[in-house]
């Protein structure tokens, strides 16, 4: 028997996002977000679900804090709903919205849990979408103003800030594939959105730094180590292009003021709307990189794509590992491979694991207990790999399981359950699963036996 250990002071946490758990979608003056609109009107969410009520965390957050405490968590990653603070995305702020997050933060601090908020986890105010959304340059400045308001209000109690959650995903799914809000499928709008989001990231970084010089600031990126799907050189080159296009597209601009060479015919600056002085304005010298990781990507060369990256995943992960109930391949090495690549490529940056988890539908047995052994196996496998990467030199400071509660899983509605705690919908009653109890033991012991 061996022991998987983590460094002293390593932070154990769980993650959530406002639209996925809060509910109260139109309460206390909150504005409409693109997700409110998309759920109410698009007809594209499984089961016709929406985040109108979700886990009702807007009213029941003390129960969330109690669960975190029961799991010995020392960190909680949650997100702040922009339209709860600025209903139309600019102008006057809502005292009730700021007050809600103040109460949440205070409850966390009182429980000995560090608040780790994300400023943008996909719920853009609909009014900003009506003015063009992320493809519109002005949105970058609006985001910086919003970041300034929030950090001035909460910065006396919150030290660590995540600017954006998974920019590659919300731009791709929202503006290119169109299955997430705002439901647009337009490659040119997508390309412009990627640049405006990078401008927003840098402007947001500067705003947070100006409001609190002692803040720790980063973004949470969706990472997947990219492997060639086949043996030929074309797939190998495509895998590297795809890595640059997904993993590095929001990192290279922030850390080096440049776009990576992801396109076969060069970066499409014109289509992206890049202006002469823009590249320098993209810099955001992060204090940490947030790592959201679920799977590896196995990439094929495709000569006929509309963007010019000429690379596409051959499936959801690879085809060798077992799958979660969502159909995602389980490949624990993906986490260590990615963490070690970031460690090599960016000169050993501070890394925070901001999301990692799996969807399984296990519900309560007749005795009420939720036996989700597969989730325990999943986290165990990932954590073994993570400990190995730390041993090999990576500077990883925390691990946040996705997610604290079963919640609204975007276009999948409530049918995918990623939580360490089971939630009944629509009653929103919470019960810790076996995995939650196990996670609490790991957090308390800062490791586990193998
Ligand atoms: O639920 C999402 C989360 O909002 C962003 N990262 C991936 C999770 C699982 O799909």
């Amino acid at each position: 028997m061996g022991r998987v250990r983590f460094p002293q002071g390593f932070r154990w946490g769980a993650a959530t996002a406002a639209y996925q758990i809060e509910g109260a979608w139109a309460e206390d003056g909150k504005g409409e977000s693109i997700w409110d609109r998309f759920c109410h009107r698009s007809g594209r969410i499984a089961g016709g679900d929406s985040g109108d009520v979700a886990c009702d965390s807007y009213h029941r957050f003390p129960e969330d804090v109690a669960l975190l405490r029961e799991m010995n968590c020392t960190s909680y990653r949650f997100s702040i709903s922009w339209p709860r603070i600025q209903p139309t995305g600019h102008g006057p702020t809502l005292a009730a919205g700021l007050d809600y997050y103040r109460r949440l933060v205070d409850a966390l601090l009182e429980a000995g849990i560090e608040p780790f908020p994300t400023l943008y986890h996909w719920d853009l105010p609909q009014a900003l979408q009506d003015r063009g959304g992320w493809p519109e340059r002005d949105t970058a400045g609006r985001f910086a103003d919003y970041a300034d308001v929030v950090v001035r209000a909460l910065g006396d109690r919150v030290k660590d800030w995540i600017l954006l959650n998974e920019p590659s995903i919300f731009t791709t799914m929202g503006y290119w594939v169109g299955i997430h809000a705002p439901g647009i499928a337009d490659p040119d709008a997508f390309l412009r959105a990627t640049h405006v989001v990078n401008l927003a990231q840098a402007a947001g970084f500067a705003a947070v730094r100006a409001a609190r010089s002692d803040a720790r600031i980063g973004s949470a990126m969706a990472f997947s180590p990219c492997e060639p799907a086949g043996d030929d050189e074309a797939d190998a080159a495509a895998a590297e292009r795809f890595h640059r296009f997904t993993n590095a597209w929001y990192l290279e601009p922030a850390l080096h003021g440049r776009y990576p060479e992801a396109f076969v015919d060069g970066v499409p600056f014109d289509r992206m709307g890049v202006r002469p002085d823009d590249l320098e304005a993209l810099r955001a010298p992060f204090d940490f990189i947030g790592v959201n990781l679920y799977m590896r990507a196995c990439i094929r060369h495709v000569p006929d794509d509309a963007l010019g990256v000429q690379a596409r995943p051959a499936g959801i992960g690879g085809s060798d590992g077992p799958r979660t109930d969502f159909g995602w391949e389980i490949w624990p090495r993906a986490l260590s491979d990615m963490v070690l690549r970031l460690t090599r490529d960016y000169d050993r940056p501070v890394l925070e694991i901001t999301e990692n988890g799996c969807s399984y539908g296990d519900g309560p047995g007749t005795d009420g207990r939720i036996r989700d052994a597969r989730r325990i196996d999943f986290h165990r496998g990932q954590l073994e790999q993570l400990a190995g990467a730390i041993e090999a030199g990576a500077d990883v400071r925390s691990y946040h399981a996705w997610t604290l509660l079963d919640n609204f899983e975007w276009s999948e509605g409530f049918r995918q359950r990623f939580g360490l705690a089971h939630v009944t919908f629509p009653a929103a009653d919470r019960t810790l699963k076996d995995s939650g109890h196990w996670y609490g033991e790991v957090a308390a012991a800062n490791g586990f036996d193998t």
Side-chain angles (χ1 to χ4, degrees):
M1 197 164 80
R3 177 125 190 110
V4 173
R5 292 173 208 283
F6 288 84
Q8 221 187 347
F10 191 80
R11 276 160 56 173
W12 295 92
T16 60
Y19 188 74
Q20 294 180 272
I21 65 161
E22 283 179 4
W25 79 277
E27 224 167 294
D28 291 338
K30 175 184 164 290
E32 187 188 24
S33 78
I34 55 174
W35 272 94
D36 295 319
R37 175 73 62 93
F38 191 65
C39 290
H40 294 157
R41 298 201 191 165
S42 74
R44 299 185 71 172
I45 310 294
D49 293 335
S50 77
D52 287 3
V53 179
C55 307
D56 198 22
S57 289
Y58 188 69
H59 300 110
R60 299 176 70 157
F61 73 85
E63 294 170 54
D64 300 348
V65 177
L67 287 172
L68 289 160
R69 196 172 189 171
E70 200 178 335
M71 290 192 294
N72 302 305
C73 285
T74 47
S75 179
Y76 180 40
R77 177 175 178 231
F78 58 97
S79 84
I80 293 178
S81 160
W82 187 347
R84 217 181 266 300
I85 307 297
Q86 290 179 310
T88 57
H90 61 99
T93 54
L94 268 183
L98 286 173
D99 206 50
Y100 165 65
Y101 293 108
R102 253 190 223 109
R103 283 184 285 125
L104 170 60
V105 163
D106 286 349
L108 290 167
L109 292 173
E110 196 158 322
I113 300 164
E114 283 291 326
F116 202 173
T118 305
L119 288 165
Y120 185 76
H121 197 127
W122 305 0
D123 44 358
L124 187 73
Q126 179 63 39
L128 289 188
Q129 181 55 40
D130 295 342
R131 293 157 68 147
W134 284 112
E136 163 58 49
R137 222 177 146 89
D138 188 53
T139 304
R142 300 285 70 79
F143 176 70
D145 291 349
Y146 152 70
D148 171 74
V149 165
V150 174
V151 175
R152 282 186 199 282
L154 300 177
D156 58 337
R157 311 145 207 233
V158 174
K159 295 281 161 276
D160 300 342
W161 294 93
I162 295 168
L163 299 163
L164 304 173
N165 183 67
E166 298 181 352
S168 63
I169 302 291
F170 76 77
T171 51
T172 301
M173 303 300 245
Y175 292 95
W176 179 19
V177 181
I179 62 165
H180 280 188
I184 291 167
D186 172 352
D188 286 303
F190 161 73
L191 285 172
R192 286 199 308 281
T194 71
H195 183 52
V196 175
V197 167
N198 268 314
L199 288 168
Q201 180 168 256
F205 180 93
V208 177
R209 178 64 78 233
R212 296 294 305 192
S213 57
D214 58 346
R216 286 180 74 240
I217 315 167
S219 270
M221 310 289 179
F223 288 121
S224 287
C226 296
E227 303 172 12
D231 292 334
D232 59 358
E233 276 185 22
D235 282 357
E240 183 55 23
R241 284 196 303 281
F242 202 79
H243 163 79
R244 295 173 186 171
F245 180 56
T246 54
N247 295 327
W249 198 250
Y250 300 87
L251 259 191
E252 290 282 318
L255 300 181
H256 296 308
R258 65 179 179 228
Y259 278 102
E261 288 297 338
F263 291 74
V264 172
D265 294 325
V267 177
F269 290 111
D270 286 347
R271 280 176 86 189
M272 290 163 62
V274 178
R275 294 181 187 165
D277 295 334
D278 276 0
L279 293 184
E280 268 309 302
L282 298 177
R283 286 185 190 267
F286 292 148
D287 298 300
F288 62 86
I289 299 170
V291 177
N292 290 8
L293 190 135
Y294 291 85
M295 61 186 119
R296 63 175 170 164
C298 295
I299 305 299
R300 266 200 201 302
H301 171 65
V302 284
D304 59 345
D305 77 326
L307 288 181
V309 179
Q310 297 193 4
R312 195 175 296 150
I316 306 175
S319 51
D320 305 311
R323 295 192 179 267
T324 69
D325 284 355
F326 208 159
W328 297 3
E329 187 200 25
I330 302 171
W331 199 253
R333 252 197 55 198
L335 185 56
S336 46
D337 285 353
M338 194 70 233
V339 157
L340 290 173
R341 174 144 196 195
L342 292 168
T343 299
R344 279 194 307 274
D345 288 1
Y346 296 101
D347 198 15
R348 199 170 180 260
V350 172
L351 302 175
E352 309 273 358
I353 308 301
T354 35
E355 283 184 29
N356 179 237
C358 52
S359 167
Y360 288 115
D362 308 292
T366 45
D367 57 357
R369 184 172 151 198
I370 297 128
R371 296 172 169 79
D372 60 336
R374 293 175 299 174
R375 180 170 287 99
I376 297 176
D377 287 348
F378 177 92
H379 285 289
R380 187 186 275 280
Q382 307 282 318
L383 287 168
E384 279 181 27
Q385 288 294 322
L386 187 62
I390 294 171
E391 185 76 29
D395 187 359
V396 184
R397 306 283 175 93
S398 68
Y399 179 84
H400 295 80
W402 183 269
T403 174
L404 174 62
L405 307 166
D406 292 339
N407 60 41
F408 176 80
E409 176 56 24
W410 309 112
S411 50
E412 289 289 306
F414 294 103
R415 72 182 177 190
Q416 300 298 338
R417 291 178 174 270
F418 281 81
L420 295 170
H422 182 269
V423 178
T424 56
F425 299 107
D429 292 332
R430 292 119 160 95
T431 311
L432 221 49
K433 301 177 187 176
D434 278 3
S435 59
H437 292 291
W438 173 82
Y439 192 65
E441 286 165 21
V442 173
N446 206 23
F448 55 91
D449 290 332
T450 53

